[in-house]
Structure formats: structure tokens, C-alpha cells
Amino acid sequence: MTFPISEASPLRFPGPPPARADVVVLGGGVIGVMTAWHLAERGLRVVLCEKGRIAGEQSSRNWGWVRQQGRDLAELPIMMESLRLWKALAQEMGEGLGFRQEGVLYAARTEAEMAAHQAWLDAAAGHGLDTRMLTAGEVAGLIPGHGAPWVGAMFTPSDARAEPWQAVPLLAEGAVARGAVIVEDCAVRLLDVAAGRVAGVVTEQGRIACDQVVVAGGAWSSLFLRAHGVAIPQLSVLATVARTVPLPQVFAGNAVDDRLAFRRRADGGYTIAPGAAHDFFIGPDAFRNFAAYLPLLKQDFRSTRFRPMAPRHYPDGWGTPRRWAGDEVSPFERIRVLNPAPNPRVLAQIRADFGRVLPGLGAPAIADAWAGMIDTMPDVVPVIDRAPQLPGLVIATGMCGHGFGIGPGMGRVIAALVAGEAPGHDLTRFRLSRFTDGSKLVVGTGL
Ligand SMILES: Cc1cc2nc3c(=O)[nH]c(=O)nc-3n(C[C@H](O)[C@H](O)[C@H](O)COP(=O)(O)OP(=O)(O)OC[C@H]3O[C@@H](n4cnc5c(N)ncnc54)[C@H](O)[C@@H]3O)c2cc1C
């Protein structure tokens, strides 16, 4: 498979879709794919509609970290389940997932960062993780010859990684093997609503009658939902990533500090990215949701580069239509795969930072660079809930930059919600009503 996945990539799951299903899943990222997988396992007739290519957007462009460490405590039990599922998936599907348990390390440059890591570790103490604090000497033992002024780190050896652009298409094949129907080049334009509840979807390839729809549309979810009167304060940021040419292994796991993230890849290179920096395109939703994001902005202002407008047809573009009819081309067909240009300044910075952190390897030759649009919520946790105003509609979006690792577990939870079963975890923190019921939003631990 060529990377990045784009609309030029071959179609692997052609239509047409069937006219009837029990559940339609909108979006073929890791969340939609794993939801479809678990719904099909329950014997439900499920059709997953993807406007472009499976995993074309965030789910192939991410760093590939499968991380318990640093999680919001409401996500942590789901993530721990997800890690168990990843291990089972790796046994079933083999090397193709690129799954390796080599650990996640958060390196600290200051004692204040160490204290913040320690605070998370204390809060997570009851969960039985293998996370521990490391001294500067222990970090040097794990990453020999590093050149960073690290005073210590937090480390979880059981944390893992996988190769996302291989893993998610493989998982999609696994979902099909279990009975799910997947159709690419199949944008869902609108919900079909009858007698006040979901009766189906209108896609560019025709109508599919169904009882329930799961919206797992990543960065497009807010645009889709708003057209049906459901508002979520979702925004997106552009994150730049690069892959180095093959280089000697210095550390087998995933490491990050406030400037640089790097992880070993199956192809012998490293995936590298800034620790926090991202670009933000200002659009109508930015104004609409400004107040909700103020607490997060105060925490994270310096890592954001503001840009006055998104490229044409982006989900929060100034000219992007907010309303359309079922028989006209929708915004979802205008961009089949969000494939933003990486920020060249960020690329130069991470290349130099890599050379400083790992002086034995030096500033690396870059084999590939790309970017992804990360969908986020003001409290950095997703929305996993039924929409009370529209029976049959389930929202599963806003993974806030950490949805890849949790995908298998989250898919199981969403499928349970759809099937009317107990989800097995407390989903209160992920409720839709938290934005409107007067609750004070508590900003979670992101990354
Ligand atoms: C640079 C970067 C680094 C990251 N690093 C990590 C990491 O290391 N670990 C981690 O856990 N997470 C990471 N993430 C986050 C992770 O990739 C996402 O949280 C996760 O992939 C989200 O999955 P999703 O299925 O919700 O969305 P997506 O993968 O974005 O999929 C949504 C899909 O819905 C489709 N769609 C939208 N609207 C429609 C419509 N109307 N009809 C049909 N289809 C539609 C889109 O085409 C898209 O394919 C990172 C993300 C990025 C961008």
C-alpha cells in the first residue's frame, strides 16, 4: 500500500451498498471499523460507509502509539481493554499490524514536568499499570547516548505501537470477514429521518434503510451532525509528521518530551513529530466554540500556530456549505481524503531536534512527510453517546489525538451501546449533554 492513503489509492471496498441494514456506520477510520467489527460479531447487519478510503484520514496518519500512560482516567479502563484486544488481534492477524509492546516514555526537562507525571501516576495508582518514574540515569540506560537535558521520565513498558496505515485496512478486512459490508467512495450525505427517528441514510450511492446510525466521521462529524440540529463543539488541528530513512535502533519504544516525539518503526526508520506544536485554521466553528475552548487555549496557547483560513472545502472552511440536500453533492464528496500539506517549518525543527536528542544518529534524512487533521473537543475526551433528540443516532467522535490505540476497545464499547447492552465501563464523562447541562468542563490529559 502506498502512503499516505489518498483518493488516488486503489478502491478496496467497492459498492454498491445494500438497501437495508440494521446499523449504518458513517466513517471508515479505526473507530468506525472496530465498531463495525464488533457489531458484525454480534450478528447485526452492518454497513460501513466511507466517503474516501478506509483509514485515509487520521487513522493512517497518526504516530501509531498504543498508549495507556497519561490517559484521562475515564478512558483508561477502556484503553486497558483495548490493549488486551490489540494483543489478541496481533495473534489472529500476525505481523501485518506491526504491533509491538516496547513501552511509552514521557521524558521531562524540568522538575515541574516530573511532578506533573508523578501526579498522573498517583491518580492512576488503582488501575494496576506497570508505569513507573525513571531517574535521569535510568533514562540514559534506556536511550543510550541521548543528548537531551532530561531530569527523568515516566515509563510504561506494557504500552505499545502498531503501524496504522497497515493495521486499520487489515482490521477492515477482519470486519468484512465477520460479516460487515464496507463501501468506499460512499459519502453519507444526510440522515433519513421519519417520525422523529432515524430511518436510514442518504448516501451518494443511494438510500440505505436502517434503525441506527453511528457517526464516527472524525474531523467531519460536527459538520454532519449540525446539519441535523445536533451541535458538538468539535474543532480540528493540523499535525505534521515525518518518517526517517532506516537508522540504527537506539530505543525500541515510543518517546516524547515537550519538543519531539519519536518511535521506532517496523521498516527500520523512526516516525518523528513535534511534542505539541500544531496549526489551527480559523473558521466559523472557531468563533462559535471560542468560549468552550478558552481553558484549553490557556494551557496550550504557545503550541498553536493560528492560520486565518482553511484550504477550500475543509470541514470548517469559510466557504464550506452548512446545509445541502440529499440529491446534491455534499461537502463530504468535495474532499474524499483530507490530506493537508505538512508544515515545512515544523519539519525542519523536528529534524534538528532529532539530531540534538539522538546525536549518534544526527539530523536524519526524511523519507516521507505528511499531516493529519486531529479532531478535538474542549475537554480532550470524546463524545460516546446516543443523541437524545434523535432516536437511532449514536455519536462516536472527538478522539482528541488518541483514538488509534483505544480504537479496538472503543469499538467494542460503541457496539455494546448500539446493541443496547451494558458497555462495561462508565461513559458518563463522554456524554453529549456535558456541553449543555451547565457542567464545568474538566480538561483531560491529552497528548
Ligand atoms: C498526526 C497524528 C498523530 C496521532 N497520533 C496518535 C497516536 O500515536 N496514538 C493514538 O492513539 N492516536 C493518535 N492520533 C489520533 C488518532 O489517529 C485518531 O484519534 C483516530 O484515528 C480517530 O479515528 P476516527 O475513526 O474517529 O477518525 P478518522 O480516522 O479521521 O476517520 C473518520 C473517517 O470518516 C470519514 N467520513 C467523514 N464524514 C463522512 C461521511 N459523511 N460519509 C462517509 N464517510 C465520512 C472520513 O473520510 C474518515 O475516513 C493521531 C492523529 C494524528 C492526525
Side-chain angles (χ1 to χ4, degrees):
M1 164 163 315
T2 51
F3 182 81
I5 299 172
S6 74
E7 51 202 86
S9 306
L11 207 66
R12 290 157 63 124
F13 303 96
R20 167 85 220 169
D22 296 317
V23 187
V24 168
V25 175
L26 178 160
V30 68
I31 298 300
V33 164
M34 291 314 298
T35 300
W37 171 301
H38 288 286
L39 286 170
E41 267 196 340
R42 283 168 171 71
L44 288 163
R45 290 174 302 167
V46 53
V47 178
L48 184 156
C49 299
E50 165 52 53
K51 67 179 171 58
R53 297 292 178 274
I54 288 295
E57 298 195 344
Q58 296 174 84
S59 293
S60 60
R61 293 161 188 270
N62 64 71
W63 302 350
W65 295 30
V66 177
R67 167 178 69 81
Q68 306 160 101
Q69 176 168 296
R71 284 265 165 189
D72 187 276
L73 294 182
E75 282 183 6
L76 187 53
I78 304 176
M79 182 60 225
M80 293 174 76
E81 175 185 347
S82 203
L83 185 59
R84 290 193 292 276
L85 291 174
W86 272 109
K87 286 197 251 185
L89 291 167
Q91 287 217 316
E92 177 186 330
M93 311 190 98
E95 283 295 302
L97 299 180
F99 180 79
R100 286 266 183 289
Q101 272 186 299
E102 305 278 10
V104 159
L105 182 136
Y106 286 4
R109 287 172 187 265
T110 63
E111 291 302 335
E113 285 171 32
M114 283 297 273
H117 294 331
Q118 182 69 55
W120 182 85
L121 184 50
D122 293 345
H127 291 271
L129 292 174
D130 55 347
T131 309
R132 58 179 196 267
M133 300 301 289
L134 303 182
T135 62
E138 288 170 320
V139 179
L142 273 180
I143 309 182
H146 80 73
W150 291 329
V151 297
M154 180 163 75
F155 182 52
T156 303
S158 62
D159 275 347
R161 66 168 192 263
E163 303 296 350
W165 66 98
Q166 294 170 199
V168 179
L170 259 183
L171 294 170
E173 283 172 16
V176 169
R178 279 160 174 77
V181 175
I182 296 182
V183 188
E184 293 177 319
D185 267 355
C186 186
V188 178
R189 291 177 171 165
L190 287 172
L191 297 173
D192 185 0
V193 178
R197 58 160 299 126
V198 168
V201 291
V202 181
T203 82
E204 62 178 308
Q205 298 196 38
R207 181 177 181 275
I208 309 173
C210 65
D211 306 318
Q212 301 197 66
V213 174
V214 177
V215 173
W220 302 87
S221 301
S222 163
L223 181 65
F224 183 87
L225 291 168
R226 182 170 279 276
H228 296 90
V230 180
I232 57 168
Q234 179 184 47
L235 298 175
S236 301
V237 294
L238 181 152
T240 295
V241 193
R243 159 173 91 84
T244 72
V245 297
L247 292 168
Q249 177 168 304
V250 177
F251 176 53
N254 314 320
V256 66
D257 68 7
D258 59 343
R259 291 188 207 162
L260 178 75
F262 62 95
R263 73 134 172 117
R264 190 73 179 150
R265 297 167 56 96
D267 60 16
Y270 292 84
T271 293
I272 63 174
H278 50 256
D279 296 32
F280 177 66
F281 300 115
I282 299 170
D285 287 348
F287 284 94
R288 217 187 317 264
N289 298 314
F290 181 72
Y293 277 85
L294 262 178
L296 187 60
L297 261 177
K298 278 186 196 149
Q299 272 185 22
D300 205 22
F301 192 75
R302 278 185 308 140
S303 32
T304 307
R305 179 174 166 232
F306 291 92
R307 292 162 67 172
M309 63 173 77
R312 201 149 170 256
H313 301 313
Y314 267 44
D316 193 26
W318 288 103
T320 301
R322 308 284 152 167
R323 291 277 183 278
W324 51 89
D327 58 0
E328 64 180 338
V329 173
S330 69
F332 313 108
E333 295 140 84
R334 302 268 181 217
I335 296 189
R336 298 241 169 236
V337 178
L338 267 176
N339 187 11
N343 181 327
R345 280 200 291 187
V346 170
L347 286 175
Q349 186 67 51
I350 55 177
R351 205 176 151 256
D353 283 342
F354 187 88
R356 273 191 287 273
V357 169
L358 301 175
L361 302 182
I366 300 296
D368 249 336
W370 66 93
M373 296 299 294
I374 297 182
D375 67 317
T376 187
M377 305 301 293
D379 47 3
V380 208
V381 289
V383 177
I384 308 294
D385 204 354
R386 292 183 170 280
Q389 58 271 62
L390 196 44
L393 174 61
V394 174
I395 303 171
T397 196
M399 298 295 142
C400 303
H402 40 264
F404 175 67
I406 208 171
M410 205 52 113
R412 208 275 307 147
V413 166
I414 298 159
L417 194 65
V418 169
E421 299 164 10
H425 300 289
D426 182 0
L427 304 183
T428 313
R429 181 145 164 72
F430 312 129
R431 72 197 185 285
L432 176 62
S433 64
R434 69 187 193 264
F435 305 114
T436 49
D437 66 5
S439 314
K440 184 170 166 13
L441 292 184
V442 179
V443 178
T445 51
L447 177 77

